């Protein structure tokens, strides 16, 4: 499988959240989750019954209102999982309060569509703590991802109750197309 983490890198990810009596920026928590998942996904071949599987992981950071992502790291395999952790810590949060779902999902589409091995199942894990700004909901990009066989799994990171609508809509598009 090919996994693409699409990660909100807007300034709101610097807001702090309390975890086990300690307070951390959301980005620290999100980065830890992505690094742990990456290690698991890339080491699946060591799981009994999964021998021969070679997952890959890529990452996209978005956080501005431009049509381009803030940064992208192409697919990496088991021996290079440290690349994901390094990329997360080397790319600081953008000092903008803009959450452009379009840019992040379009970059994921470009990575998946540009692969030479199209036999792999593509999974997009979309992580954000906020609603999209200025109508940049990623609707068309999610539809396009689904057309090329990708599933979009939206995950809210410490969202307010009213911020879930756009993420739920992305989920509906991906799973009901």
């Amino acid at each position: 499988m090919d996994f693409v983490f699409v990660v909100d890198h807007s300034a709101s990810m610097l807001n702090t959240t309390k975890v086990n009596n300690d307070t951390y920026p959301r980005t620290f928590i999100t980065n830890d989750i992505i690094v742990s998942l990456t290690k698991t996904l890339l080491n699946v071949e060591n799981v009994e019954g999964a021998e021969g599987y070679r997952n890959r992981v890529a990452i996209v950071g978005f956080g501005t209102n431009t049509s381009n992502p803030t940064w992208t790291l192409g697919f990496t395999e088991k021996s290079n999982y440290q690349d994901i952790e390094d990329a997360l810590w080397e790319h600081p949060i953008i000092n903008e309060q803009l959450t452009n779902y379009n840019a992040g999902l379009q970059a994921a589409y470009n990575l998946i569509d540009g692969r030479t091995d199209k036999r792999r199942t593509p999974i997009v894990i979309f992580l954000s703590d906020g609603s999209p700004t200025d109508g940049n909901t990623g609707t068309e990009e999610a539809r396009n991802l689904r057309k090329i066989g990708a599933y979009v799994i939206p995950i809210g990171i410490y969202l307010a109750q009213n911020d879930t609508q756009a993420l739920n809509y992305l989920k509906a598009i991906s799973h009901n197309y």
Side-chain angles (χ1 to χ4, degrees), residues 23-94:
T23 303
Y24 302 98
R26 292 175 185 163
T27 188
F28 284 19
I29 298 164
T30 304
N31 288 356
D32 284 346
I33 291 167
I34 292 169
V35 169
S36 294
L37 281 171
T38 295
K39 288 178 183 177
T40 300
L41 293 170
L42 295 180
N43 285 309
V44 73
E45 67 197 46
N46 298 326
V47 175
E48 187 176 334
E51 295 85 2
Y53 282 88
R54 298 272 194 277
N55 291 333
R56 299 186 309 172
V57 175
I59 192 162
V60 172
F62 71 97
T64 68
N65 208 27
T66 68
S67 61
N68 298 316
T70 304
W71 58 276
T72 301
L73 176 69
F75 290 102
T76 188
E77 296 184 15
K78 179 182 176 184
S79 61
N80 299 322
Y81 80 85
Q82 186 66 43
D83 293 349
I84 297 291
E85 185 170 8
D86 292 346
L88 287 166
W89 296 113
E90 289 172 9
H91 293 90
I93 297 297
I94 301 303

Side-chain angles (χ1 to χ4, degrees), residues 1-4 75 108-109 111-115 117-125 140-153 173-177:
M1 299 177 107
D2 281 342
F3 293 87
V4 180
F75 290 102
Y109 177 91
L111 283 169
I112 292 167
D113 193 50
R115 301 171 303 162
D117 184 356
K118 306 271 191 205
R119 296 172 296 163
R120 296 171 165 275
T121 301
I123 307 290
V124 175
I125 302 171
E140 190 62 33
E141 292 77 6
R143 283 189 182 108
N144 290 337
L145 280 159
R146 190 65 194 119
K147 286 177 185 175
I148 62 171
Y151 292 92
V152 178
I153 302 169
I173 290 170
S174 178
H175 297 279
N176 295 320
Y177 189 78

